[in-house]
Amino acid sequence: MRILSLFGALSLALSPAAAQDAQWTLVIHGGAGTIERARITPDQDREIRAALNAAIDAGTKILAAKGSSLDAVEAAVRVLEDSPHFNAGRGAVFTWDGQNELDASIMDGRTRKAGAVAGVLRTRNPISLARAVMEKSPHVFLGGGGADRFAIDQGLEQVDPKWFATPERLLQLEQMKTKKLSSYDVDYKFGTVGAVALDAQGHVAAATSTGGMTGKRWSRIGDSPVIGAGTYADDRACAVSATGSGEYFIRVGAAHEICARIRMQGDTPKQAADAVIAEIGGLGGSGGVIVTSPSGSADWSFNTEGMYRAKANSAGERHVAIYQDEG
Ligand code: ASP
């Protein structure tokens, strides 16, 4: 991508028409885990790729029209929240007490403003609530009933909690309880969703949304809504969204650590992402990240068998992948 950017700069100098074609990039994920061909039916494979494509379409439509990276990441994540295939919004995992408790965060690399919510029960698109916290409140992080009340004040769509529930997720909770399994045993993947983007104005943004871990208790909150852990964006370095065993991503400050490595140590985004995923692996954690940067780079790194992921850019490149061997 660096070579591409250099080539882009060269063509700007050579062709005034091309100068108007500013560069943009979008990368999304739908969770990492033991995602192998043997575990996924052809129908599921097709439906998941269709959902990833729909999310990419929603974001790239905005970026191609010179819209903001913030609008693009919110739009892409809303599509994934509304899909039952991912652990965010509709299709979220169940808590031990049989609820869907949703967490989300968003960050603007231009201003480093951020918004986050945890334990949301009724707001259809938690990512839009996180954005409202960022733009319409003096705060960064709201939790529980207060976050839903703020959503009502902001006129965001409220739904019956049944909207989020799917039979597959309920079965996972039941299996976990009867067989005394871990959340990872019943749900072989971390189905959190996320998006990072660079817009034509050179600004980056990141967004992440999740239902957390199956059977979570005691109002457990993972990394996804924690700015610096599951989400970070800084125009000086990069934008990151993570998925995985959240406790490890919090302990490592994963998303901020990737941007800090790029900004202060001169790592490429890929080097920084690989280093931080290796560090998480060394502590016993697993998962993955997606990263973009003001250079237009589009990278991912994960230490699991697969990660639902996709990327597209203004050069017309597009890639949708599930398994490790798909690049
Ligand atoms: N990182 C999320 C959490 O710990 C889980 C996931 O990625 O699915 O809540």
Side-chain angles (χ1 to χ4, degrees):
M1 290 306 295
R2 277 180 180 247
I3 292 170
L4 246 183
S5 331
L6 280 177
F7 184 74
L10 193 64
S11 58
L12 290 184
L14 294 176
S15 149
Q20 281 149 36
D21 291 334
Q23 191 188 31
W24 51 260
T25 307
L26 176 68
V27 191
I28 62 170
H29 71 79
T34 315
I35 302 173
E36 299 157 324
R37 285 184 178 77
R39 286 182 180 265
I40 296 179
T41 67
D43 278 352
Q44 287 171 329
D45 185 294
R46 198 173 329 108
E47 285 168 23
I48 288 163
R49 285 178 202 271
L52 292 171
N53 269 307
I56 284 281
D57 286 345
T60 57
K61 197 170 145 199
I62 290 166
L63 294 168
K66 304 221 179 334
S68 72
S69 51
L70 204 55
D71 285 344
V73 295
E74 182 188 3
V77 166
R78 282 176 65 103
V79 169
L80 298 171
E81 285 179 337
D82 282 347
S83 164
H85 292 291
F86 306 98
N87 173 18
R90 190 157 169 243
V93 298
F94 280 85
T95 64
W96 188 261
D97 298 325
Q99 296 200 111
N100 304 110
E101 287 179 6
L102 311 168
D103 306 334
S105 65
I106 193 163
M107 187 160 181
D108 182 351
R110 186 172 60 91
T111 55
R112 270 176 287 153
K113 284 187 176 169
V117 289
V120 168
L121 301 177
R122 290 186 163 268
T123 304
R124 173 168 169 169
N125 291 109
I127 198 62
S128 296
L129 178 52
R131 182 159 179 186
V133 171
M134 177 173 83
E135 292 179 338
K136 308 276 175 54
S137 89
H139 308 300
V140 168
F141 205 166
L142 299 184
D148 277 320
R149 282 199 300 283
F150 180 69
I152 294 168
D153 290 349
Q154 295 301 316
L156 296 180
E157 185 178 352
Q158 301 294 290
V159 288
D160 187 305
K162 287 196 194 87
W163 162 259
F164 302 115
T166 59
E168 296 78 18
R169 296 302 193 186
L170 196 53
L171 188 65
Q172 286 173 349
L173 177 66
E174 283 160 7
Q175 284 175 341
M176 181 183 193
K177 286 184 170 180
T178 53
K179 298 184 189 162
K180 297 199 171 24
L181 299 172
S182 75
S183 61
Y184 200 65
D185 291 325
V186 291
D187 181 12
Y188 57 90
K189 64 187 188 308
F190 302 105
T192 292
V193 307
V196 295
L198 166 72
D199 63 30
Q201 292 73 41
H203 302 304
V204 295
T208 311
S209 182
T210 191
M213 309 280 279
T214 303
K216 64 184 182 181
R217 288 194 245 194
W218 313 301
S219 302
R220 178 265 186 192
I221 299 167
D223 61 314
S224 308
V226 177
I227 297 299
T231 302
Y232 203 73
D234 180 348
D235 271 5
R236 299 172 301 173
C238 70
V240 179
S241 171
T243 177
S245 42
E247 283 69 12
Y248 294 88
F249 284 73
I250 293 175
R251 286 164 55 196
V252 169
H256 183 271
E257 178 79 2
I258 290 171
C259 290
R261 278 179 162 269
I262 294 169
R263 183 163 58 88
M264 298 195 283
Q265 193 169 288
D267 279 12
T268 65
K270 179 66 175 156
Q271 282 169 342
D274 286 348
V276 168
I277 289 298
E279 192 180 338
I280 285 169
L283 294 175
S286 62
V289 290
I290 52 172
V291 189
T292 191
S293 69
S295 75
S297 63
D299 292 293
W300 40 59
S301 181
F302 50 96
N303 64 1
T304 50
E305 284 80 355
M307 178 158 91
Y308 298 143
R309 59 201 189 277
K311 57 185 172 185
N313 66 20
S314 50
E317 293 165 338
R318 189 180 179 113
H319 184 51
V320 177
I322 296 181
Y323 312 105
Q324 204 175 46
D325 59 16
E326 290 181 281

